Amino acid sequence: MASPLDDRTRAIISACVPALQAHGLAITTEMYRRLLSSPDIRGLFNMSHQRDGEQPRALALAVLAYARNIDSPGALSAMVERIAQKHAGLNILPQHYPYVAEALLGAIAHVLGDAATPEIMEAWGKAYWFLAEILIGREEQIYVAHAAAPGGWVGWRAFRVRDRQAESADVTSFELVPQDGGPVMRHVPGQYLGFRLDVPGQGEECRNYSISSAPDDRHYRISVRRIDKGIVSDWLHDSVDEGTVVQVSAPAGDFTLDSPPPGPIVFLSAGVGLTPFISMLGALDAAGATVPVRYIHGTRGPKAEAFGDYIRDLAARGRIRADIFYSRETPPQAGSAPAGVTWHDGRITPQWLKTQVDPRATCYICGPDGFMRDMIATLKAAGVPEARIRYEFFGPAADAALAG
């Protein structure tokens, strides 16, 4: 267990909040420049998030939140758990932490210059290792649980693509089975897999993809949207076929379905944000859950709608009530909608959502950051308690409203 920080250290870190507000992004950008110069570390990061600046912005928000809550670290428990789960998905180990310490402290000294006094640098060194020890301890618990679970493993395990299936114009599913022929750890609906991929011409790339299949002990499925100029998504769509072998880490993530569900459920998604919900819906269907389930999804049009047949089947069998919004193409004629499905023209709006959501429901949200921010604010305004608003984002949380 990490030793508590002393009063002087906490006071210095708190006093740094204005400097972090002014220079936090410059510090984290410089930190990543230093960190990624090491070949031992570079392969652990999604480089596309470096190029578009998302990762440095997300880390700047996290560092600022840490400084603001240095006197009450318990307020950051959700953020710490999210980070630990992400690290477990990438197989981050204790020996990686000194690289980050050197890069972060060096970046603080570089950006702040003479303002980075020895006292400030000492305080940040202590604060970094205090948080690092908490993360290392939690990550070790996750790895121990993975090793002990039936079909579980620690580190990278070879999986073979058994099947691929086009789900829409730009989403393809890949069914994965272990190359060793053994069982797999049953995931909790909503979790993701970490991947270490050797992309020709690009080298090693790491990614996380939500599991889109219901839990079982033989295989996983991921469903990936092709991103414009996406290094990994293009490779997956264009080159990965049946028989391709990829390296996979055990399921991780804390955006998971309550079991059993305590009451009504709302799944609220946009675009490929539906993937964890497909796993959750599969689990609920297999368990014969009787709670009311509302599925609300925004997509560009019928050709872009992934898993549309599956959703219509669930609705026809009375398992869910579905609302599908088409933002760029005209929806099918309203009279042709199957039982349990309503088609809408346009985007999901706060005005519409306020009239639809049961305040007793647990609401799960996944999609672009702006979409989630608007939906979360709407749900709160509609009277849904914050504890029953759950959300997951793809990649780093570069939005202050989602970073906590």
Side-chain angles (χ1 to χ4, degrees), residues 9-18 67-68 70-71:
T9 295
R10 289 187 283 107
I12 291 172
I13 297 300
S14 293
C16 288
V17 166
R68 283 174 167 165
I70 198 70
D71 289 321

Side-chain angles (χ1 to χ4, degrees), residues 264 266 354 356-363 379-380 382-385 388:
V266 174
K354 284 180 182 178
Q356 301 295 314
V357 173
D358 185 340
R360 301 169 301 167
T362 299
C363 300
L379 293 173
K380 289 179 179 178
V384 179
R388 291 208 300 274

Side-chain angles (χ1 to χ4, degrees), residues 125-137:
K126 290 181 179 178
Y128 170 81
W129 281 109
F130 172 74
L131 181 58
E133 288 174 14
I134 292 174
L135 288 168
I136 289 169

Side-chain angles (χ1 to χ4, degrees), residues 19-20 23-32 103-104 107-108 111-112:
L20 291 174
H23 306 291
L25 182 56
I27 290 170
T28 56
T29 299
E30 173 65 17
M31 187 210 83
Y32 278 116
L104 176 61
I108 292 172
V111 172
L112 297 185

